Amino acid sequence: MSFAADVKKELAKADISVKSRRIAECYGLLLYSRCFTTDAIKLKTEAMSVAERFSQHMSDMFGAIVEKKSTLKANKDDINLHSIKVLLSSDANKIFTYFGHTPDTPTLRVNRANIEDDMCTAAFLRGVFLSCGSVNDPQKNYHLEFCVPFKNLSLDLCNILCEISECSLSPRTMVRNGSYIVYFKDSEQITDLLTYLGAPNAAMDIMNAKAYKQMRNVTNRRINSELANISKTAKAGAKILNAIDAIDATEGLGSLPDNLRVVAELKRENPELSLAALGELLNPPISRSGVNHRLNKIMEIAEDIKKE
């Protein structure tokens, strides 16, 4: 089961014992279902939980007879497309007019009379998401969208989303294949909206996924930094050893002042040791910066020999 299906399954369990909230959720499901007219009502969904919720609304609220069909989607393995249709046109007309719409209405718009208060707004938007919403797996990317059939309905949806006082939402819009997409890509806005709609578990999954990604990114940056430092140190060490070998092959290490010769010999014998560790081997011991100073002197001498 996909993450989006899990989200819809959680939302479909929301309490609708309060009549006004049941009406609002049902209205959201119907209005954004792509087929809501005076003589035809149909919903298509991949989520069985949504199909069952829709059928429950039609039966409990209106006593309507529905026809259910399930077909396997041709382009997706093991994904069923559920189609739920109000069988009688008389029932469709009754439901359509119940929500305050008339056959002569030029275009569908949200009838705010069906949304009594803030809790009903949440229920309405939950119905809209169940009808035309989707959300990506947070392990991949952050994206929640509503695929709306009509432009005016997308504008109404944006306005309602922006009015939610509990969330600071900034929906974006675009047109895709003739549909109007209202979407979010900010993880915090997505988690706030899902919590508001009634899916706190899904919101927590997104927050956990984000925390994991952040921790993984910090770890990767630390590892990359350490690898870069190791590579840098290895290159510097090889350069110093080449300089020591060049001096030994020409002038001989005995030509170096004693303080430099001892450091050169220790470096050759212990190429893996840090500067601080090399300094501890000297008698008397010297600091890391002292060792580094002497090695730089050795490098300068090697460079002078190459120029001769």
Side-chain angles (χ1 to χ4, degrees):
M1 186 179 292
S2 68
F3 181 75
D6 286 338
V7 173
K8 290 190 175 184
K9 187 175 181 179
E10 183 180 3
L11 289 174
K13 294 179 181 178
D15 179 32
I16 49 173
S17 58
V18 178
K19 183 180 179 181
S20 60
R21 298 174 195 171
R22 183 167 69 251
I23 291 172
E25 181 185 290
C26 180
Y27 184 50
L29 267 163
L30 288 165
L31 190 60
Y32 286 79
S33 65
R34 290 185 176 274
C35 185
F36 179 52
T37 68
T38 185
D39 57 5
I41 292 176
K42 182 188 292 185
L43 174 72
K44 291 184 178 181
T45 179
E46 294 178 2
M48 176 61 75
S49 58
V50 176
E52 293 174 348
R53 186 79 156 189
F54 182 77
S55 299
Q56 179 187 357
H57 282 311
M58 296 300 97
S59 175
D60 293 352
M61 292 181 61
F62 305 104
I65 301 173
V66 297
E67 179 184 64
K68 303 176 186 177
K69 292 183 180 179
S70 296
T71 57
L72 191 66
K73 294 189 72 172
N75 60 337
K76 292 185 179 180
D77 295 336
D78 301 325
I79 298 294
N80 285 321
L81 182 63
H82 308 286
S83 176
I84 308 92
K85 177 183 178 182
V86 173
L87 204 54
L88 302 177
S89 59
S90 58
D91 284 338
N93 179 66
K94 178 176 67 174
I95 296 168
F96 191 76
T97 56
Y98 176 87
F99 288 104
H101 296 280
T102 58
D104 58 351
T105 302
T107 181
L108 284 174
R109 301 297 298 263
V110 174
N111 182 1
R112 296 279 187 129
N114 296 308
I115 309 171
E116 294 185 2
D117 53 30
D118 291 343
M119 297 301 294
C120 289
T121 299
F124 171 76
L125 290 173
R126 180 169 62 247
V128 176
F129 185 85
L130 290 173
S131 184
C132 68
S134 65
V135 59
N136 287 8
D137 186 337
Q139 298 293 344
K140 298 176 181 178
N141 55 49
Y142 306 119
H143 184 89
L144 181 149
E145 72 176 39
F146 300 86
C147 184
V148 184
F150 306 112
K151 182 177 181 179
N152 284 333
L153 284 180
S154 71
L155 295 175
D156 289 346
L157 177 58
C158 286
N159 289 333
I160 294 172
L161 288 166
C162 290
E163 291 170 5
I164 301 173
S165 58
E166 293 91 333
C167 310
S168 180
L169 302 177
S170 302
R172 304 179 189 179
T173 59
M174 66 178 176
V175 179
R176 182 204 300 146
N177 299 328
S179 294
Y180 298 87
I181 310 301
V182 178
Y183 68 99
F184 299 90
K185 284 192 170 296
D186 180 82
S187 62
E188 290 187 10
Q189 293 190 41
I190 293 172
T191 54
D192 287 347
L193 180 56
L194 288 176
T195 302
Y196 178 77
L197 297 182
N201 293 331
M204 184 60 70
D205 287 341
I206 293 176
M207 287 187 282
N208 288 338
K210 182 178 181 180
Y212 174 76
K213 286 181 181 179
Q214 290 174 336
M215 181 178 66
R216 183 179 61 190
N217 289 339
V218 169
T219 301
N220 287 341
R221 284 196 295 270
R222 184 179 296 120
I223 290 173
N224 290 337
S225 177
E226 290 176 355
L227 289 175
N229 288 336
I230 290 171
S231 176
K232 183 178 178 181
T233 301
K235 289 179 180 179
K239 193 173 182 180
I240 291 170
L241 290 174
N242 288 336
I244 293 171
D245 290 341
I247 295 172
D248 193 23
T250 53
E251 305 292 332
L253 294 183
S255 64
L256 295 173
D258 288 345
N259 63 336
L260 300 184
R261 176 183 55 77
V262 172
V263 170
E265 291 173 347
L266 283 175
K267 180 61 179 176
R268 175 183 274 180
E269 293 169 2
N270 306 278
E272 76 287 350
L273 291 184
S274 65
L275 298 184
L278 283 175
E280 291 293 326
L281 294 179
L282 294 171
N283 187 20
I286 62 174
S287 66
R288 176 189 180 282
S289 60
V291 174
N292 187 56
H293 176 73
R294 295 185 186 186
L295 290 175
N296 285 335
K297 283 290 188 181
I298 293 171
M299 295 277 290
E300 291 174 6
I301 292 172
E303 287 296 323
D304 291 339
I305 291 174
K306 288 181 183 179
K307 293 176 182 177
E308 294 178 354

